[in-house]
Amino acid sequence: MPTFRHSPEALLALVWPPMLAVNAPLDRAAREGSRPLRLEVKYDGFRALAARSGKEVALISRNQLDFAPRYPELVAALSRLRIQEAVLDGEIVGLDPEGRSRFERMGLPGGHHYVLFDVLWWKGRDVRSRPLTERVGLLDQLGTLKPPLVRAEVIDPPVQEALAYARKRQLEGLIAKRPDAPYRGGRTTDWLKLKVQQRQEVVVVGFTPLRNNEAGVGALLLAVWSPQDDALVYAGKVGTGFDDATRRRLYTSLRKAPAPAAPVLGAPRMKDAHWVAPGRIAEVAFTEWTADGRLRHPVFLGMREDKAWREVVREPSVPAGVVG
C-alpha cells in the first residue's frame, strides 16, 4: 500500500486560495471577442475544492467550511476516482430535470452533483503554473465520470452566440477563461463572469415579521457592501420566494442576533423592522436596480454559507434588452 506525503487538508493548504472570477458587464463580452476564450457554463451552487490523498478525501468551501459531513455522497464518489492524489476545483450544485443548476435546489436533501472544472495538484505535483488547457486535460485521465461527479459544460465561441445559447437554456451565464492562463489565487481578469440572468447576493440586515402574528419572517431586509463607503448600504427587502418552513426557520435564527440600530447606510424608517447583526447571506433573483439603489421585484432563492458578508458587493447589471 503506497503512502502519501500529505493529508488532503495539507494538500489544500499548499494550493490555497482558490481562483475567483471578476464580474463583467455583458457589453465587455464584445470587446473580449477577439481573445481566445474557453467558455464554460456558470453554475449556481457552492464553490468547493476537493483533495484526495490515498483513501482520504477533503471537501471544503471557498471560505474553508467543511462540506464533507454535508455531502457524504460526493466524498464517496471522489474516493472512487482513478487518481490517488489530487486537488480538484469545482461547484456543488442542485440540478433541475433539464440539467441546469438551480440555487433554490441546494436546500433540498440529496440529489447534489459536483461539477469539476480545474486541477490544482496532480500526482504529487503542483500544476497551478500550467496553462488552463493542460490542467483541464488532466481531468480526461479520470475517464468517463458518473453522477454525482460531472464535468463542466463547455460552449463553443463566439461569445455572443454562446450567451444567446445560455439565454435560450435559461442559464445564469458563462465563465469566460483564458486557455493559456495559470491558476492564480484570488480574483483575476483571466476568468470573467458573464451573467444573462439578474442574480445578486445580499447581506441580511433585518426582517419584518408576518402580519398575522405568526412566528415567521414576512420579509428580509437586505444590503450590499460598498467599498467606497466602507459600509453596508441598504438594498431593499424581499418578501416572496419563501415557503412556510423557511419563514419559520429564518425567524428563529435571526431573532438570536439582534442589532440595536440599523447596521446599514440609507435604512428607511420602518416601525416593524427588526435589525440584526450582519453575517447571513441570501441570494435573490430580481428584474433591475432602481435609481436609488434598491432591488426591483426581488425573489428569495436561498441562503448561502460559502462566502463572507464583506465580499457581497453590487454586481454589474445585465444591460437592457439583453435578457429575454
Side-chain angles (χ1 to χ4, degrees):
M1 179 68 66
T3 55
F4 296 91
R5 291 186 301 156
H6 304 290
S7 67
E9 293 76 15
L11 287 178
L12 289 167
L14 288 172
V15 297
W16 200 261
M19 190 167 175
L20 304 174
V22 171
N23 294 306
L26 290 188
D27 57 4
R28 181 169 178 175
R31 301 198 299 273
E32 298 293 332
S34 61
R35 300 174 66 191
L37 293 171
R38 177 185 172 89
L39 304 175
E40 297 177 356
V41 168
K42 183 187 182 301
Y43 293 91
D44 195 8
F46 293 153
R47 180 75 174 279
L49 265 61
R52 167 87 180 272
S53 182
K55 294 183 179 181
E56 297 182 68
V57 173
L59 185 66
I60 65 170
S61 74
R62 50 174 285 193
N63 61 342
Q64 298 183 305
L65 291 175
D66 183 5
F67 277 158
R70 186 182 306 184
Y71 303 106
E73 72 281 11
L74 301 184
V75 172
L78 289 163
S79 70
R80 293 191 294 266
L81 287 175
R82 293 179 182 178
I83 187 68
Q84 291 290 302
E85 187 180 73
V87 177
L88 309 172
D89 198 351
E91 188 98 357
I92 300 173
V93 300
L95 301 179
D96 68 10
E98 285 73 40
R100 300 168 298 194
S101 66
R102 291 291 182 255
F103 187 75
E104 53 267 35
R105 299 181 72 89
M106 293 300 296
L108 301 178
H112 297 100
H113 291 68
Y114 185 44
V115 182
L116 302 176
F117 52 70
D118 215 327
V119 178
L120 288 68
W121 185 278
W122 189 262
K123 295 183 178 179
R125 294 186 178 182
D126 185 342
V127 297
R128 290 175 296 168
S129 62
R130 297 187 189 180
L132 173 65
T133 50
E134 290 188 22
R135 300 196 310 272
V136 296
L138 295 173
L139 292 174
D140 295 335
Q141 298 183 31
L142 297 176
T144 302
L145 298 179
K146 297 180 180 180
L149 304 182
V150 296
R151 291 280 295 272
E153 181 181 353
V154 178
I155 303 176
D156 293 333
V159 174
Q160 293 293 5
E161 290 184 14
L163 287 168
Y165 169 81
R167 287 194 294 273
K168 183 178 180 180
R169 283 194 58 200
Q170 299 181 339
L171 304 175
E172 186 186 356
L174 306 174
I175 301 292
K177 300 179 177 180
R178 279 185 50 198
D180 60 343
Y183 191 101
R184 299 185 179 96
R187 295 205 179 274
T188 168
T189 55
D190 289 338
W191 288 8
L192 296 177
K193 189 187 303 183
L194 305 174
K195 290 191 174 185
V196 297
Q197 290 186 1
Q198 299 277 51
R199 300 286 185 92
Q200 176 67 49
E201 293 156 1
V202 284
V203 181
V204 177
V205 292
F207 68 94
T208 59
L210 291 170
R211 294 182 178 179
N212 55 8
N213 294 320
E214 291 186 16
V217 164
L220 295 177
L221 308 180
L222 312 173
V224 292
W225 179 255
S226 170
Q228 296 83 0
D229 299 302
D230 194 32
L232 287 166
V233 177
Y234 187 71
K237 62 181 180 179
V238 59
T240 60
F242 306 94
D243 57 27
D244 292 340
T246 301
R247 290 186 186 276
R248 292 192 295 270
R249 184 171 64 252
L250 287 171
Y251 180 81
T252 300
S253 174
L254 293 172
R255 288 186 64 199
K256 297 177 181 178
V264 293
L265 299 178
R269 294 184 179 180
M270 303 173 65
K271 292 182 180 180
D272 57 347
H274 295 254
W275 301 104
V276 301
R280 297 163 178 83
I281 300 171
E283 183 168 336
V284 298
F286 67 107
T287 56
E288 63 180 349
W289 287 96
T290 65
D292 58 351
R294 308 291 171 84
L295 295 161
R296 189 185 300 278
H297 305 138
V299 177
F300 176 81
L301 297 178
M303 300 297 293
R304 303 199 71 100
E305 300 178 28
D306 57 335
K307 295 188 178 181
W309 61 268
R310 286 178 184 266
E311 297 180 73
V312 179
V313 298
R314 177 170 166 173
E315 299 189 8
S317 297
V318 177
V322 171
V323 178

